[in-house]
Amino acid sequence: MRRANPKAASDRQLLEIRNLKLEFGSREKPLRAVDDVSLSIRPGETICVVGESGCGKSVTALSIARLVPSPPARYVDGQILLQGRDVLQMSADELRQIRGGVVSYIFQEPGSSLNPVFRIGNQILEALKLHRPEVATEAEVIRLLRLVGIPAAESRIRDYPHQLSGGMQQRVMIAMALASHPALLIADEPTTALDVTIQAQIIELLRSLKEQLGMSMLLITHNLGIVGDIADRVAVMYAGQIVELAPAAELLMRPLHPYTQALLNSVPKLGANLQRLTAIPGSVPNPGAFPPGCRFHPRCPKARRDCPDRAPELVEVQPEHWVRCFYWDAPLPSPQEALNPNNPALLQSRESSRS
């Protein structure tokens, strides 16, 4: 088994995050929100980062363009290589060039991201003037709106955000993000505030635009239901760390980490005759109070007595499949082996295995 950073050859990478560590709070009582995260994205690749709220997904994504203010945050260690250049070493002028120019963001809650007092056409035009002034025209704004599927774009450019539905607002945000022709599009929970039908439309739109424009994409989500439709690879985060990284099809068919298995088991399955959904007991620990050893062990059905005593590394257990767990391939422990025989997660898993 290989213990190394899960990345391909550097000359093939658009983005390469190496052992990133970011913390908040005082130095005496640091809150490590991102801890030793390594991740790479190849040109034209789509990676989904999944996990519960509070796992560090958004902070990792914002760090790529150094959008997490410092202070209060501290970039303690690591590198963020974007097109071979370390973002953490860039000047303010260099950061302004890559923000929007090389990396563009789409955020959740488009209604709060759009300026309510400006027409949407003017807001897209402003992005064009900043990054592609040579084509900053009304005709280009209309083309972008058509590209993202907004009908009657010629008249819609004069609308204010409140005149658009949530789905249309998100399409405007996508048009603004694409105005600069970015190499990397980062979508942070882009479908959270939308109904299920519109969610599917937005995901299909992102997939189609990525292929048309040849971009790479990093999609942050807690919805495993959309991962198989869009991702090439999936990174699963828990308590500030990547606990599993694998090709999307393989991870969805054969998850190896107990946390990934629990996430997939909690997704409703069409046609399943279940009275209740399977939930993961407990919650993600606070960054200031991570448990010792393996951070998932208080909630893990496979936890052994030594799990609090040693921290697992991210290990390549199969080709291109990385897991942070000592007992990923072990059966459920006996009461003598288990960390806590009365662990609700352990009891629930045993009950499921009996049925």
Side-chain angles (χ1 to χ4, degrees):
M1 293 187 293
R2 187 155 58 103
R3 290 174 172 81
N5 291 338
K7 59 183 184 293
S10 296
D11 58 356
R12 297 175 52 205
Q13 304 309 309
L14 170 65
L15 171 71
E16 192 173 332
I17 302 174
R18 297 178 178 176
N19 308 110
L20 179 64
K21 298 178 181 178
L22 182 147
E23 63 188 27
F24 297 90
S26 66
R27 296 187 183 277
E28 292 74 25
K29 294 184 177 180
L31 306 178
R32 184 67 60 84
V34 177
D35 193 6
D36 201 26
V37 167
S38 294
L39 185 68
S40 64
I41 302 179
R42 306 178 184 99
E45 184 179 33
T46 297
I47 286 187
C48 282
V49 180
V50 302
E52 296 168 276
S53 297
C55 284
K57 308 184 301 296
S58 294
V59 175
T60 300
L62 290 170
S63 298
I64 292 171
R66 226 165 84 194
L67 289 175
V68 184
S70 178
R74 291 187 300 278
Y75 295 89
V76 178
D77 196 9
Q79 294 179 302
I80 302 173
L81 301 178
L82 184 63
Q83 295 179 328
R85 301 167 60 204
D86 190 353
V87 173
L88 299 183
Q89 303 301 321
M90 288 184 180
S91 65
D93 287 339
E94 290 174 319
L95 287 172
R96 276 192 289 270
Q97 292 175 7
I98 69 161
R99 291 169 179 169
V102 180
V103 181
S104 284
Y105 286 82
I106 303 168
F107 298 104
Q108 54 184 313
E109 301 289 351
S112 61
S113 299
L114 291 167
N115 192 318
V117 301
F118 288 103
R119 301 179 193 271
I120 62 168
N122 291 337
Q123 296 188 55
I124 298 173
L125 189 62
E126 184 179 0
L128 284 169
K129 288 178 179 178
L130 184 61
H131 298 291
R132 295 168 59 215
E134 69 280 3
V135 294
T137 63
E138 183 176 292
E140 179 65 8
V141 174
I142 292 171
R143 187 191 73 83
L144 286 168
L145 290 176
R146 287 174 175 165
L147 184 65
V148 298
I150 293 183
E154 296 85 350
S155 60
R156 284 293 194 178
I157 62 172
R158 294 172 179 81
D159 285 350
Y160 290 93
H162 74 270
Q163 295 176 283
L164 303 175
S165 67
M168 287 296 180
Q169 289 177 354
Q170 192 61 286
R171 290 173 188 267
V172 171
M173 290 301 302
I174 295 172
M176 291 177 65
L178 298 180
S180 62
H181 286 180
L184 175 62
L185 181 65
I186 299 177
D188 187 357
E189 302 276 10
T191 63
T192 294
L194 308 177
D195 65 51
V196 175
T197 303
I198 304 303
Q199 286 183 23
Q201 293 176 3
I202 295 298
I203 291 300
E204 176 57 27
L205 175 64
L206 290 173
R207 187 195 61 76
S208 175
L209 289 172
K210 176 236 165 186
E211 292 178 357
Q212 289 181 50
L213 303 177
M215 303 178 295
S216 298
M217 185 160 63
L218 179 67
L219 176 64
I220 309 294
T221 183
H222 63 268
N223 184 357
L224 282 165
I226 68 176
V227 167
D229 295 330
I230 195 168
D232 297 308
R233 288 188 294 152
V234 180
V236 181
M237 287 195 71
Y238 184 79
Q241 298 178 325
I242 292 178
V243 297
E244 187 163 5
L245 175 64
E250 181 177 343
L251 183 136
L252 293 174
M253 290 295 294
R254 189 168 179 262
L256 301 182
H257 195 282
Y259 179 60
T260 311
Q261 294 168 358
L263 284 178
L264 287 169
N265 287 336
S266 67
V267 176
K269 296 175 176 60
L270 196 63
N273 185 20
L274 297 176
Q275 296 297 319
R276 299 185 64 178
L277 293 176
T278 303
I280 307 174
S283 58
V284 179
N286 185 289
F290 287 142
C294 173
R295 294 178 181 177
F296 187 57
H297 80 256
R299 309 172 70 190
C300 182
K302 289 189 175 182
R304 262 70 169 176
R305 295 184 182 277
D306 62 340
C307 288
D309 301 326
R310 49 186 188 142
E313 298 178 11
L314 192 62
V315 175
E316 189 177 31
V317 298
Q318 296 173 2
E320 294 296 314
H321 199 146
W322 301 75
V323 180
R324 190 186 297 272
C325 180
F326 293 117
Y327 300 109
W328 62 270
D329 60 345
L332 289 174
S334 66
Q336 292 74 30
E337 297 173 311
L339 173 69
N340 177 6
N342 297 316
N343 182 347
L346 180 59
L347 295 175
Q348 183 181 47
S349 181
R350 284 179 177 161
E351 191 65 31
S352 298
S353 65
R354 290 194 194 104
S355 58

